[in-house]
Amino acid sequence: MAITSSLAEFSLPELFQFLDQGNKTGLLTLRFKLSRHSQEIKARHILLRQGRILAVSYRLDHQCLLKMMCQRGWLSPEVINEQVNRCPANKPIGLYLKTKGFLHPEQLRLLFHAQVIRSVCGLFRLKDAKFRFDSKATLPTIEMTGLSISATKATLIGLRALPDWTGLADKLPETTSALSRAMVGHRQLGLDPMEAAVWKLANGSIPLTDIATRLGKSLETVQQISFRLISVGLVAEVPMLTSYQQNYWQSQGLEPVAVGANRTEEDNPQELSNRFVQHLLGFLRR
């Protein structure tokens, strides 16, 4: 089964959430231009197994990881070719080379960081890209170090390193909204101190404006941290009535309701996006 769309309609955090929560295995390919004026199409191919990212390559000849080893001078082309021919078809080449003593564990970690972490962080800077996820694709073990990272954890790391949030501005939670914890624990994701502080204040009743004041951070920074926590499923946005809205309801003698309760899907792109993810997950799990 193949899924195609674009990041303009389905953001990378949402896409990674879908792949992780759905325990998806397959090949995710993103195609994009480096700038509006460029005609050259670049591609990144992400290998996933059960929602975990195994490798990222920029071409499909299965030579990216081997080239990195040669460029670092860790193995000669002759040794690599010989060991590739000996490596079992179902075993990651990095893990095989480690068991044979050609690579050290630290070298594998360095390769994985350069191949996966650095590449994924760069993808979060894309304003738009076409993507295709193929669940039937064959995953080449010759591109795998043997290490992996959950798509959710990759999202957290990628958003932390994002220098420009312009492309995600319309996805940020409202400044008047509160946050509600959606998961009991967060240790497996390794939150930084400020993320943990926002998570602790996510009790469903403190608006982001107050959270920013309590933590001594700008409202924009708190919005970005909140979006990161929402994207990895740790919190949910809770719309709240403003003082003006509360006074209006009271003056009309009516019972207040939560802001957004009667909004259409078109009025709330974030809600529409979240619903789409949940519906898509439910459909694919059938």
Side-chain angles (χ1 to χ4, degrees):
M1 175 180 180
I3 300 173
T4 60
S5 188
S6 72
L7 297 185
E9 297 184 3
F10 199 34
S11 72
L12 192 58
E14 292 170 324
L15 178 57
F16 276 8
Q17 183 185 49
F18 158 69
L19 295 171
D20 195 351
Q21 290 185 0
N23 293 316
K24 296 304 175 185
T25 295
L27 178 66
L28 173 65
T29 298
L30 293 100
R31 301 187 185 278
F32 55 91
K33 295 180 181 179
L34 293 179
S35 68
R36 291 182 179 178
H37 307 291
S38 174
Q39 297 301 315
E40 183 181 6
I41 303 295
K42 297 286 186 179
R44 291 296 181 271
H45 309 282
I46 304 175
L47 283 61
L48 297 109
R49 180 175 292 131
Q50 295 184 338
R52 298 186 66 84
I53 299 175
L54 308 175
V56 178
S57 65
Y58 57 89
R59 59 194 202 189
L60 287 175
D61 61 359
H62 312 328
Q63 296 296 309
C64 292
L65 184 60
L66 301 180
K67 184 178 179 181
M68 291 173 64
M69 297 178 190
C70 289
Q71 289 176 334
R72 286 164 171 74
W74 293 345
L75 292 170
S76 67
E78 294 76 19
V79 170
I80 287 180
N81 289 333
E82 180 182 1
Q83 294 305 314
V84 165
N85 292 329
R86 295 181 178 181
C87 179
N90 62 347
K91 191 166 188 176
I93 186 64
L95 183 58
Y96 173 79
L97 291 173
K98 183 180 78 72
T99 59
K100 294 299 181 180
F102 291 101
L103 290 176
H104 299 296
E106 182 59 28
Q107 290 175 312
L108 276 187
R109 286 190 286 270
L110 290 173
L111 284 172
F112 184 76
H113 185 275
Q115 182 202 38
V116 174
I117 304 300
R118 190 184 302 168
S119 297
V120 168
C121 286
L123 294 176
F124 279 90
R125 301 183 183 188
L126 295 176
K127 296 294 189 298
D128 190 18
K130 302 295 183 181
F131 71 79
R132 183 177 190 271
F133 177 71
D134 185 359
S135 61
K136 302 298 183 181
T138 300
L139 304 182
T141 55
I142 199 172
E143 287 285 25
M144 302 177 190
T145 60
L147 304 178
S148 67
I149 184 173
S150 72
T152 296
K153 182 65 177 291
T155 294
L156 189 59
I157 294 173
L159 290 176
R160 284 174 182 165
L162 187 63
D164 181 7
W165 283 73
T166 304
L168 292 172
D170 62 336
K171 302 284 186 179
L172 298 180
E174 297 291 336
T175 59
T176 55
S177 292
L179 301 173
S180 176
R181 286 191 289 271
M183 293 176 59
V184 176
H186 58 75
R187 293 181 181 178
Q188 69 274 17
L189 290 176
L191 299 185
D192 65 28
M194 194 52 57
E195 290 165 349
V198 172
W199 185 82
K200 289 180 180 178
L201 292 173
N203 62 6
S205 62
I206 306 175
L208 297 191
T209 50
D210 290 356
I211 291 178
T213 300
R214 294 190 188 192
L215 298 180
K217 294 293 181 179
S218 70
L219 187 53
E220 182 181 24
T221 296
V222 170
Q223 282 181 289
Q224 293 170 2
I225 293 174
S226 300
F227 179 78
R228 295 203 294 266
L229 298 180
I230 292 171
S231 296
V232 299
L234 287 177
V235 303
E237 181 179 1
V238 180
M240 297 183 67
L241 289 171
T242 64
S243 298
Y244 172 81
Q245 290 167 326
Q246 289 175 340
N247 291 335
Y248 172 80
W249 282 104
Q250 291 173 358
S251 67
Q252 298 298 314
L254 300 173
E255 184 69 21
V257 294
V259 174
N262 294 322
R263 287 182 178 179
T264 65
E265 291 180 340
E266 291 77 10
D267 293 329
N268 194 339
Q270 182 65 41
E271 181 180 349
L272 174 60
S273 180
N274 289 338
R275 286 183 180 178
F276 176 73
V277 173
Q278 297 304 320
H279 290 171
L280 188 57
L281 282 173
F283 172 77
L284 294 176
R285 284 170 178 165
R286 293 177 182 175

